[in-house]
Amino acid sequence: AQKVTQAQTEISVVEKEDVTLDCVYETRDTTYYLFWYKQPPSGELVFLIRRNSFDEQNEISGRYSWNFQKSTSSFNFTITASQVVDSAVYFCALSDRGGNEKLTFGTGTRLTIIP
Amino acid sequence: GAVVSQHPSRVICKSGTSVKIECRSLDFQATTMFWYRQFPKQSLMLMATSNEGSKATYEQGVEKDKFLINHASLTLSTLTVTSAHPEDSSFYICSARSPTGYNEQFFGPGTRLTVL
């Protein structure tokens, strides 16, 4: 069975600070995908990144960066120089490559950026 | 591109009535759509996988007779909550799988259902 753990339920940081959101996953599949989504107060999920299990390169996109480490089954997300607009709930998710490729979500981390 | 819409965005109904929620992929064809349920301050739980032209596949514990899913076209899937009760009040979110084959799902804005 697949499982995604986001141990941090809520995080608050002051604007311009860096913040890292942790994600640990469990799967028996050798091929899988990892995702991060942002859910602002409006409720709509915003796709941030997809990473497949064979690509362990870290990725940077503007102020966002992701660290994928298969050895520790982790896919952590760092926001550099946080802004108030980054306040949201962030979900890490895992998908296999089975027939329907359904997503298993973590419980989410509520990030609050204090101005 | 890859926009998914849901209608209605909010619905309030009386206990015992049925409610239909529509999920549309606006600029792409989606052979597979997914329906999720999210309780306040909780994660998204997959309810069912909707495949165009065939019966939906429901997750364990989800009552198929209560949550009717129809995927009649490549751009539309509907979720009908039958004989709704207050415990069905939740945020329902659909997603459509990207046609690019990169296993990316695009999510609709969600429908907040309140059953009185």
Side-chain angles (χ1 to χ4, degrees):
Chain A
Q2 299 189 325
K3 185 179 179 182
V4 177
T5 301
Q6 294 180 255
Q8 304 150 310
T9 307
E10 297 191 27
I11 300 176
S12 295
V13 300
V14 176
E15 195 173 18
K16 297 184 183 176
E17 287 185 353
D18 299 346
V19 57
T20 295
L21 310 182
D22 298 332
C23 173
V24 174
Y25 63 92
E26 294 176 31
T27 180
R28 294 179 189 170
D29 297 319
T30 55
T31 302
Y32 52 88
Y33 292 86
L34 293 162
F35 301 79
W36 276 95
Y37 287 90
K38 175 182 180 180
Q39 187 178 41
S42 62
E44 183 167 358
L45 279 163
V46 178
F47 167 80
L48 296 178
I49 190 172
R50 174 197 67 248
R51 173 67 75 226
N52 75 51
S53 52
F54 295 110
D55 183 0
E56 286 194 71
Q57 274 194 330
N58 292 331
E59 177 147 346
I60 298 175
S61 176
R63 295 184 297 108
Y64 296 169
S65 62
W66 291 269
N67 185 319
F68 176 30
Q69 300 216 349
K70 283 179 80 170
S71 60
T72 55
S73 297
S74 65
F75 186 44
N76 297 337
F77 171 35
T78 297
I79 301 175
T80 304
S82 60
Q83 300 176 4
V84 173
V85 293
D86 296 327
S87 295
V89 180
Y90 290 85
F91 290 98
C92 180
L94 169 68
S95 171
D96 61 18
R97 280 202 67 189
N100 57 17
E101 299 167 341
K102 57 187 182 182
L103 287 169
T104 299
F105 282 85
T107 50
T109 297
R110 182 174 300 275
L111 176 63
T112 301
I113 309 299
I114 303 166
Chain B
V3 178
V4 176
S5 71
Q6 272 184 251
H7 179 80
S9 57
R10 288 178 178 271
V11 57
I12 301 173
C13 69
K14 292 183 179 179
S15 187
T17 61
S18 294
V19 174
K20 180 184 283 188
I21 303 170
E22 293 186 348
C23 176
R24 293 181 186 273
S25 56
L26 297 185
D27 50 2
F28 66 100
Q29 294 184 329
T31 55
T32 302
M33 291 183 174
F34 301 88
W35 286 95
Y36 295 85
R37 184 173 180 177
Q38 185 181 29
F39 290 108
K41 296 194 175 184
Q42 293 191 26
S43 187
L44 284 79
M45 299 299 295
L46 179 67
M47 298 175 66
T49 303
S50 170
N51 294 299
E52 188 267 337
S54 65
K55 291 184 178 180
T57 303
Y58 290 81
E59 294 300 299
Q60 195 171 9
V62 177
E63 299 175 61
K64 64 174 91 175
D65 294 331
K66 180 166 187 63
F67 298 100
L68 300 178
I69 292 172
N70 184 282
H71 194 155
S73 77
L74 287 171
T75 58
L76 173 64
S77 176
T78 60
L79 167 68
T80 301
V81 183
T82 62
S83 187
H85 290 286
E87 57 264 31
D88 299 323
S89 299
S90 188
F91 192 52
Y92 293 87
I93 307 173
C94 74
S95 71
R97 197 169 73 190
S98 164
T100 63
Y102 289 123
N103 196 22
E104 180 179 333
Q105 292 181 26
F106 295 96
F107 286 82
T111 296
R112 189 162 302 282
L113 170 63
T114 303
V115 185
L116 302 175

